[in-house]
Amino acid sequence: MKFPLSWLRDYVSIDCSVNDLVDTLTMAGLEVDHVDTIGDSLEGIITGRIDSITRHPNADKLVITSIFDGNTHHQIVTGASNIKEGDIVPVSLPGAVLANGMLIKSAQLRGITSDGMLCSEAECGIADESSGIWILPPDTPLGLDFVSFAILKDTVLDISILPNRGDCQSMLGLAREIAAITKQSFSLPKINLNESSIKHSYSVTSKSELCPLYIGRYITSLMNGKSPLWMQRRLQLCGIRPISIIVDITNYVLLETGHPLHAFDDRLCYKKTFTIEEAPPSTSMTTLDGQSRSLDNQQLLIMESNKAVAIAGIMGGQDTEVSIDTSTVFLEAAYFDPTSIRRSATSLGLRTESSIRFEKGVCIDTVDYASQRACFLLVEHAGGSLSNHVVISKQDKHACFTQHKIPFSFDKLNAFLGSTFSQKQMESVLIPLGFTFSKQAISVPSWRSHDITEWPCIAEEVARLIGFDRIDSTLPQSLPIQDKDDPIVDLIQTVQDFFVANGFNEVNTYPMISDDDLTVMGLGSKESWNELANPISPQLALMRPSLLASLLPLIAYHSTRQLPNQALFEVGRTFHKDHELTSLGIVIGGKLDLAAYTPAKRDLETDIFHHLSHTCSRFFQHLGLSVTLKPDSQHSCLWKHPTLNYLLYINKIPIGSLAHVHPTLLDHYCIKEPVVYMDIDLTTLLDSLNPSKTYDAFSRFPSIRRDIALCVPDTLSFSDIMAIITKYKHKSVLKTGVFDVFESETLAPYTRSIGIYLIYQSMTETLSDDTVNVNHQRLCDRLTEFLPVQIR
Amino acid sequence: MIDILNSIKSDSISKINELDSLHELDQLKSFLLGKKSPLMDVLKDIPKIPLEKRPVIGKEANQLKQELTKRLNKKRDELINKERDDFLNQNQADVTLPTSGFPSGSYHPITIVTRYVCSILNRYGYAIKQGPNIETDFNNFEALNIGPNHPARDMHDTFYLKNKTVLRTHTSPVQIRTMLEQEPPIKIIAPGKVYRCDADTSHSPVFHQVEGLCVDKHITFSDLKGTLEAFLHELFGDEHAIRFRSSYFPFTEPSVEVDVSYTINGKTTWLEIMGAGMVQRNVFRQVSYDPDSYTGFAFGLGIERIAMILYKIDNIRLFYENDHRFLTQF
């Protein structure tokens, strides 16, 4: 909210510099976002009357004016066309400085002397641009210091008022706070109500607890028109557009007291019987902004007999709107329940200057003051006559009217804050804030009743005004041994460390993806996942069920930036219908970044699938687990290559998948290079980790190696051969492996040669060649028996 | 005889010194110490000399034999080393060629800073807890004293899911989850992703926070102050001043913003680093803790903000763009 310093100064004296004030407020929780210095360079602008306008002899577009400042006449040449004789305008004489910093001097304009300039609103610094000279109201005095008269120079503080400080959403509220913080006195503007016995037939009844107080006043003989310049300027400085004096006064009082008011045009209120109630079924009305709104029991309404005339605390209706020829108004000042206003405003999607104040809680004691203040201004500046017949609906027993008392002791505050403030010190900050003390209790000033509910709130007041820097720094005493970390934390770190050490760059992506991503990846329809109700874009419309949708776009991103070779991983959440998983996603695009310059190494670069499955095996080895990679015969997912893919298992539990990404999907993302992708479900993996590891005894006897060279048809996979070896090998086989694979014309067509070695070793003795030979031959026989292979 | 031995000695030593191949060494060895060598001749002739001189001559001859053997062995070692050196020096591989192979990977800066923050607080005894990103309205708002029509809901631009759950707007729901599960004392931190639907150039709809909570009997505001001062001094360095400024959060009372003084381009300013406060009594009531028995403090900070300060990163979007040229700098 914007606070012009000149306005605040009406109620509190501010001795310190603006910077000091900004610091003081900021430290006390009233954060100053911005300080706007307005009309800083303006100097010496006065008011003057145009007594004559004559043609310029040498220029068609210029005229010569004679300006009277109350004492003397000045000859000023101007190009303005919106002026006439008798107009009162701002005048800058030689020596004056305009808002843009321009110094005014006497000048010759086409041979005629011009002793100054007539000013526009832009030149006075109150508008960005303006089309002509600023014509002032006809009753503006002549020759006065226009800069201060029109409040052209001011400092405006823009303060974020926190939700608990509704009491500071007004000039008086902030001035009262400043007075308390800086130990200055604070004064309310004086009101001298001049009431007369004017009769009217208004009546008001609140049928809802949500409106415990409603005060209506009746003012006649108003002359609606423009409000005084100072009032217009104050409204403008606070960002409100002046409209007419009746509206301006309600807005002015709103800014001044923080209390929203509403004026009904008497001519348009036919029945004059007001009730306040929740909207009856199928009610609708057109609000001041011209919108037709259908209402329900979410909203509290002001009804005139059976017709809605205003949405309580939010906006009035168009049917009873004040217009320029309004002369009699019924002025509403009321208290509405903050929660109800918030609910009502939210359900209508309508936020107004009025609703933002009611929902943070206005002070019930200010209701009548604000009403009186507005009436005073209407009488004073709009020529109104105020009726002494005030219409009041008040629920005397409503909780709002009881003063809050909080059980309290100074010792408790010190014990809570860890401070050693004296009672006197604490009283010296609490009393200026409006607190009063009684036995074992403290009474809360009415304007803070929404905010201050328990004794820690008092501690906050004490701490923020004496200063947080006056409290010691200590560490919590005697806490026992630390709680356990969430077990996934350690696994995540291990994963990150492993993949970083193995050349992968970690990424961090948004977990939201698009509907389209799901479709192209074949991950099902959006209804089966977690859809956002209010996404910020269709690209971020639902929570990802797989990291692939987050990682593939990164390959595409780099591919179009001449960086096609990427090895990336992310540990992130994936979202399923009723649970979340921590997942690991790894993607390699293009070639491996091996900086290869020999043919042998270049061969390695392109083998990304092999590299990823190798890394995968090593990863599980690193965790002390053995992973089984099985071809995904179902190849149920659209994103996977039909044959180059695996499912990963730990102890027969599926844990992830590894595959070449299907070229059709790559086309969709405009990726030209091959991409392999692996994902591992870390949440499930965590359950497979076995922390209780035991030692296995190992053989210290010499080992013997035997090789088998097999001619294998292409249709047979290595895993088929290994399955037989695993099943039939002798128990003394310690280790097996491949040492050679080749295809050659010397072999039969569609076959290859696979060389396999076996290491034989006994736990109890040195094996003899003969023993090994017998066992090895038995295995060879099994291989040829069960598989279409030949031993070479 | 002595003269003969002396002559053999000087002659042999000079021959040994002149050797420059192992092959020659083998030949010389049999020439000097073989059966037909001059020294052997001397030894064979010993029985012919007078008895009283035999011990002297015998001793001299044996000493010479030992010395020549020692010198030959030493020469052998020298020649072997020389030969290996010659062989090694012939290897002219270009060691200045660049290495090839997989380069090291990199941690995302969010990970680095989260680990950094957590490792400091972990040492102060805070255990790391995690919670879901999709939260109930109760855990994200209501239990934190932000009722359905609380104005503080404006401070949170919330993403809702179609089933009325929310994407957590802060890591504070982990506080609630932990307190619902455990009795005090509690000392936890909760790092993780949070979501707000107010993306612009300085905001991201997804960002990261670390939340801290300490609950026990007799926890004071001064404990909050001491803990955060120690933490921030460790994070940024002792030379940075720290101030506590009054603020408002529905779930703490008193609430503060914590600022750290920082010099950027020669100008010292206060940077808003974290929010903190004493746990609101209504929060304790929501998790069935007795607010008259326990007090506590909570704090939260934004990881991106810390990373941007530490690494002088000027645009929050760099974190999620994941550009190779950005990632590989960490």
Side-chain angles (χ1 to χ4, degrees):
Chain A
M1 180 178 170
K2 290 181 168 154
F3 295 91
L5 270 190
S6 65
W7 195 347
L8 292 172
R9 284 200 160 103
D10 280 2
Y11 321 119
V12 61
S13 87
I14 298 169
D15 294 338
C16 56
S17 71
V18 173
N19 280 346
D20 286 351
L21 179 68
V22 167
D23 277 354
T24 308
L25 288 173
T26 300
M27 291 305 285
L30 293 151
E31 195 176 345
V32 182
D33 283 340
H34 186 67
V35 178
D36 202 0
T37 315
I38 290 171
D40 207 17
S41 55
L42 283 176
E43 205 79 62
I45 297 176
I46 58 163
T47 49
R49 188 179 64 220
I50 304 173
D51 275 0
S52 68
I53 303 176
T54 51
R55 282 190 54 229
H56 191 294
N58 305 325
D60 289 345
K61 292 193 170 168
L62 295 178
V63 289
I64 304 163
T65 64
S66 173
I67 305 296
F68 183 60
D69 68 7
N71 283 320
T72 42
H73 282 88
H74 305 271
Q75 175 175 290
I76 293 175
V77 179
T78 180
S81 54
N82 68 326
I83 49 171
K84 60 182 192 302
E85 288 177 359
D87 280 349
I88 296 175
V89 296
V91 181
S92 51
L93 299 176
V97 184
L98 301 183
N100 61 7
M102 184 174 131
L103 174 68
I104 301 298
K105 295 174 192 158
S106 286
Q108 294 287 317
L109 292 176
R110 296 265 181 128
I112 303 289
T113 305
S114 179
D115 282 329
M117 233 178 97
L118 309 185
C119 301
S120 67
E121 293 187 11
E123 284 150 352
C124 290
I126 69 155
D128 289 339
E129 52 186 64
S130 42
S131 56
I133 302 301
W134 186 359
I135 311 293
L136 302 174
D139 57 349
T140 311
L142 298 184
L144 55 73
D145 173 2
F146 188 64
V147 174
S148 68
F149 178 77
I151 325 172
L152 298 181
K153 234 189 227 295
D154 208 343
T155 301
V156 180
L157 307 183
D158 196 348
I159 301 182
S160 321
I161 304 293
L162 294 165
N164 63 327
R165 293 310 301 270
D167 64 300
C168 286
Q169 292 193 108
S170 66
M171 299 304 142
L172 285 169
L174 187 71
R176 183 172 51 210
E177 182 77 5
I178 292 173
I181 301 173
T182 62
K183 308 251 156 69
Q184 295 286 339
S185 60
F186 163 72
S187 56
L188 285 172
K190 291 262 178 320
I191 300 169
N192 288 317
L193 275 194
N194 193 358
E195 292 168 309
S196 25
S197 51
I198 299 165
K199 289 206 162 37
H200 64 81
S201 56
Y202 282 92
S203 73
V204 172
T205 317
S206 169
K207 293 183 177 171
S208 170
E209 281 192 347
L210 304 175
C211 175
L213 180 63
Y214 191 108
I215 298 173
R217 282 193 165 82
Y218 183 77
I219 307 114
T220 60
S221 341
L222 290 161
M223 296 284 291
N224 204 3
K226 282 200 168 184
S227 54
L229 195 58
W230 60 268
M231 185 179 285
Q232 292 188 32
R233 280 297 294 149
R234 283 189 164 177
L235 293 176
Q236 281 172 346
L237 288 173
C238 295
I240 290 181
R241 193 167 51 91
I243 294 167
S244 68
I245 190 159
I246 298 175
V247 176
D248 289 357
I249 284 174
T250 58
N251 283 334
Y252 185 85
V253 174
L254 167 89
L255 292 173
E256 185 179 56
T257 64
H259 202 96
L261 301 170
H262 183 66
F264 296 93
D265 188 328
D266 177 61
R267 291 172 303 172
L268 304 169
C269 298
Y270 303 111
K271 302 272 170 32
K272 308 195 195 299
T273 313
F274 281 27
T275 55
I276 297 99
E277 56 190 295
E278 281 163 20
S282 65
T283 311
S284 70
M285 71 176 287
T286 305
T287 42
L288 285 176
D289 55 2
Q291 298 270 325
S292 170
R293 298 176 187 277
S294 54
L295 307 162
D296 55 33
N297 61 3
Q298 298 277 322
Q299 291 97 28
L300 192 65
L301 298 183
I302 316 297
M303 307 280 288
E304 194 204 9
S305 69
N306 291 323
K307 187 175 141 230
V309 290
I311 304 173
I314 299 179
M315 196 178 266
Q318 208 171 39
D319 290 351
T320 52
E321 185 182 1
V322 167
S323 57
I324 197 67
D325 51 1
T326 300
S327 60
T328 301
V329 296
F330 180 72
L331 184 74
E332 162 193 304
Y335 179 92
F336 301 112
D337 176 71
T339 310
S340 122
I341 295 298
R342 166 99 190 165
R343 188 172 54 229
S344 173
T346 307
S347 68
L348 292 166
L350 188 59
R351 283 295 167 53
T352 60
E353 290 289 335
S354 170
S355 76
I356 59 171
R357 284 179 173 77
F358 277 121
E359 72 179 36
K360 285 185 188 173
V362 298
C363 171
I364 201 156
D365 288 355
T366 313
V367 176
D368 193 38
Y369 177 81
S371 168
Q372 292 188 30
R373 176 73 177 149
C375 291
F376 170 73
L377 292 172
L378 285 168
V379 171
E380 191 84 355
H381 297 287
S385 302
L386 172 64
S387 163
N388 61 0
H389 176 195
V390 183
V391 182
I392 300 177
S393 162
K394 185 177 178 188
Q395 296 165 359
D396 284 309
K397 287 181 182 152
H398 198 282
C400 278
F401 296 105
T402 39
Q403 193 180 26
H404 282 265
K405 280 193 177 184
I406 297 173
F408 153 89
S409 85
F410 288 105
D411 290 344
K412 199 169 185 175
L413 293 198
N414 272 330
F416 179 63
L417 291 172
S419 55
T420 49
F421 299 139
S422 68
Q423 179 173 340
K424 207 175 147 199
Q425 246 178 321
M426 294 196 244
E427 282 175 350
S428 75
V429 296
L430 291 172
I431 291 167
L433 285 170
F435 291 93
T436 51
F437 299 91
S438 57
K439 236 182 189 176
Q440 311 294 323
I442 186 166
S443 297
V444 180
S446 56
W447 59 88
R448 297 297 297 277
S449 61
H450 298 281
D451 165 29
I452 302 209
T453 50
E454 292 198 78
W455 60 266
C457 312
I458 314 286
E460 176 167 68
E461 294 305 294
V462 166
R464 94 185 157 94
L465 291 194
I466 296 181
F468 291 104
D469 56 334
R470 304 278 296 280
I471 298 173
D472 283 345
S473 298
T474 56
L475 288 174
Q477 299 297 305
S478 71
L479 273 162
I481 293 170
Q482 186 186 331
D483 195 357
K484 282 196 203 112
D485 286 346
D486 190 318
I488 195 86
V489 172
D490 191 41
L491 178 60
I492 291 172
Q493 289 210 9
T494 306
V495 168
Q496 288 168 330
D497 292 344
F498 179 86
F499 285 94
V500 168
N502 282 283
F504 291 83
N505 296 324
E506 191 190 15
V507 300
N508 195 321
T509 59
Y510 290 168
M512 297 91 104
I513 61 169
S514 73
D515 190 10
D516 188 41
D517 291 326
L518 278 188
T519 313
V520 295
M521 292 184 190
L523 296 171
S525 69
K526 59 184 178 182
E527 288 76 22
S528 43
W529 305 107
N530 295 285
E531 245 185 301
L532 292 181
N534 56 336
I536 50 170
S537 93
Q539 292 308 308
L540 304 171
L542 54 97
M543 303 308 286
R544 64 184 173 204
S546 155
L547 287 169
L548 180 64
S550 296
L551 294 175
L552 257 195
L554 290 181
I555 298 293
Y557 168 93
H558 285 99
S559 177
T560 56
R561 284 165 179 79
Q562 299 173 300
L563 295 162
N565 303 335
Q566 294 295 326
L568 309 173
F569 80 100
E570 176 166 20
V571 178
R573 292 292 173 119
T574 51
F575 301 83
H576 307 268
K577 199 63 201 174
D578 49 7
H579 65 290
E580 288 174 28
L581 296 174
T582 300
S583 300
L584 164 66
I586 302 165
V587 66
I588 304 178
K591 292 190 289 191
L592 300 174
D593 188 12
L594 293 176
Y597 44 78
T598 61
K601 284 173 180 164
R602 274 195 286 271
D603 282 348
L604 292 175
E605 281 187 325
T606 52
D607 203 356
I608 54 176
F609 186 73
H610 179 258
H611 180 77
L612 190 56
S613 58
H614 177 60
T615 309
C616 167
S617 302
R618 285 180 51 240
F619 168 66
F620 284 103
Q621 209 178 351
H622 181 74
L623 294 178
L625 295 169
S626 134
V627 65
T628 312
L629 279 63
K630 287 186 189 160
D632 179 7
S633 49
Q634 308 270 318
H635 47 83
S636 45
C637 281
L638 277 184
W639 67 267
K640 289 180 182 175
H641 186 290
T643 59
L644 297 176
N645 67 53
Y646 287 127
L647 292 177
L648 316 181
Y649 294 87
I650 301 284
N651 305 329
K652 298 186 178 161
I653 299 164
I655 200 92
S657 57
L658 190 165
H660 255 286
V661 177
H662 200 288
T664 310
L665 181 56
L666 296 184
D667 286 348
H668 180 83
Y669 285 95
C670 301
I671 300 170
K672 293 187 178 61
E673 300 79 15
V675 176
V676 292
Y677 174 75
M678 173 168 88
D679 56 30
I680 295 172
D681 162 11
L682 297 182
T683 307
T684 307
L685 176 61
L686 188 64
D687 298 332
S688 308
L689 287 176
N690 186 2
S692 58
K693 178 153 182 80
T694 54
Y695 151 79
D696 285 334
F698 58 91
S699 166
R700 292 178 189 271
F701 294 96
S703 64
I704 291 178
R705 168 170 166 156
R706 288 288 178 272
D707 294 348
I708 313 173
L710 295 172
C711 267
V712 180
D714 285 348
T715 48
L716 197 65
S717 75
F718 174 70
S719 65
D720 300 330
I721 299 168
M722 274 315 291
I724 299 296
I725 292 179
T726 310
K727 192 166 176 189
Y728 293 106
K729 69 180 169 51
H730 188 260
K731 66 178 189 321
S732 65
V733 171
L734 181 76
K735 194 180 170 199
T736 58
V738 179
F739 66 91
D740 189 36
V741 176
F742 76 94
E743 286 168 38
S744 158
E745 287 171 12
T746 62
L747 300 173
Y750 308 111
T751 59
R752 55 194 172 139
S753 168
I754 300 182
I756 297 166
Y757 67 83
L758 297 100
I759 308 287
Y760 290 85
Q761 193 178 29
S762 160
M763 291 294 289
T764 53
E765 59 180 347
T766 302
L767 290 174
S768 70
D769 272 349
D770 293 345
T771 320
V772 170
N773 287 345
V774 170
N775 292 331
H776 189 66
Q777 188 55 47
R778 200 170 288 154
L779 177 62
C780 292
D781 294 346
R782 293 285 175 266
L783 283 169
T784 47
E785 183 184 340
F786 292 112
L787 296 172
V789 297
Q790 281 181 302
I791 302 208
R792 292 176 70 224
Chain B
M1 289 294 259
I2 294 290
D3 294 344
I4 297 172
L5 283 175
N6 281 339
S7 133
I8 291 172
K9 182 176 178 181
S10 62
D11 189 42
S12 301
I13 288 175
S14 73
K15 279 202 169 79
I16 289 171
N17 284 343
E18 282 162 21
L19 283 171
D20 64 3
S21 82
L22 284 168
H23 173 68
E24 285 171 18
L25 185 133
D26 288 340
Q27 285 178 342
L28 184 65
K29 187 177 179 183
S30 60
F31 177 75
L32 294 181
L33 300 170
K35 284 176 182 162
K36 289 174 183 169
S37 61
L39 180 59
M40 284 303 153
D41 291 345
V42 172
L43 285 167
K44 275 182 218 155
D45 287 347
I46 285 179
K48 295 175 188 170
I49 59 171
L51 191 65
E52 70 276 12
K53 286 187 180 173
R54 280 183 205 167
V56 182
I57 300 297
K59 190 182 173 194
E60 283 290 327
N62 271 319
Q63 275 182 353
L64 178 59
K65 188 184 172 188
Q66 277 172 19
E67 175 164 4
L68 291 181
T69 308
K70 196 173 152 193
R71 281 181 182 261
L72 280 166
N73 286 343
K74 191 181 168 208
K75 190 68 185 181
R76 175 183 296 275
D77 288 350
E78 278 175 28
L79 288 170
I80 287 173
N81 282 340
K82 181 171 175 291
E83 203 164 272
R84 179 172 289 164
D85 283 350
D86 289 348
F87 171 77
L88 292 177
N89 283 326
Q90 276 168 19
N91 188 341
Q92 291 295 328
D94 184 356
V95 296
T96 66
L97 273 172
T99 57
S100 63
F102 235 33
S104 173
S106 56
Y107 293 94
H108 196 279
I110 295 292
T111 300
I112 300 174
V113 176
T114 306
R115 282 195 187 186
Y116 186 25
V117 165
C118 289
S119 72
I120 296 171
L121 291 165
N122 219 214
R123 266 184 23 254
Y124 296 171
Y126 290 79
I128 304 172
K129 299 286 176 190
Q130 300 231 317
N133 289 199
I134 297 179
E135 264 296 1
T136 60
D137 190 272
F138 178 81
N139 285 341
N140 195 75
F141 291 120
E142 200 134 7
L144 289 158
N145 200 28
I146 312 173
N149 289 298
H150 196 292
R153 291 222 173 190
D154 289 348
M155 295 163 88
H156 298 249
D157 296 293
T158 313
F159 281 114
Y160 289 90
L161 285 109
K162 294 231 162 135
N163 62 359
K164 305 287 176 209
T165 53
V166 301
L167 291 184
R168 64 178 180 188
T169 57
H170 45 190
T171 39
S172 309
V174 182
Q175 284 185 23
I176 301 302
R177 288 177 172 270
T178 309
M179 287 193 282
L180 286 172
E181 252 170 44
Q182 294 170 223
E183 286 300 306
I186 281 180
K187 260 178 116 174
I188 57 147
I189 42 174
K193 277 192 167 63
V194 299
Y195 304 79
R196 305 263 173 110
C197 55
D198 63 343
D200 60 39
T201 47
S202 60
H203 292 89
S204 162
V206 182
F207 56 102
H208 298 75
Q209 283 185 343
V210 174
E211 180 87 7
L213 174 71
C214 174
V215 180
D216 199 358
K217 287 174 179 161
H218 315 304
I219 296 288
T220 63
F221 185 86
S222 62
D223 292 338
L224 160 71
K225 229 186 129 192
T227 301
L228 296 188
E229 279 172 353
F231 164 67
L232 290 172
H233 276 143
E234 197 161 336
L235 191 64
F236 291 108
D238 286 336
E239 70 276 19
H240 295 278
I242 293 163
R243 74 174 187 189
F244 293 77
R245 175 161 56 79
S246 181
S247 189
Y248 171 75
F249 307 106
F251 36 94
T252 51
E253 181 111 51
S255 303
V256 287
E257 292 279 358
V258 190
D259 299 344
V260 172
S261 83
Y262 225 85
T263 305
I264 299 163
N265 300 329
K267 202 180 157 210
T268 303
T269 46
W270 289 103
L271 297 182
E272 193 175 305
I273 298 294
M274 57 199 295
M278 300 301 287
V279 179
Q280 235 275 357
R281 288 159 63 87
N282 284 337
V283 175
F284 283 150
R285 290 182 187 112
Q286 291 281 1
V287 298
S288 308
Y289 282 9
D290 177 4
D292 290 323
S293 303
Y294 295 106
T295 52
F297 61 79
F299 54 89
L301 58 89
I303 293 296
E304 279 81 351
R305 178 136 181 90
I306 308 290
M308 289 173 88
I309 293 168
L310 292 177
Y311 298 122
K312 303 197 185 337
I313 294 169
D314 54 3
N315 184 345
I316 195 166
R317 283 162 190 267
L318 280 165
F319 292 114
Y320 315 103
E321 193 179 41
N322 292 299
D323 192 297
H324 182 84
R325 294 157 291 190
F326 175 77
L327 296 176
T328 50
Q329 292 183 37
F330 299 95

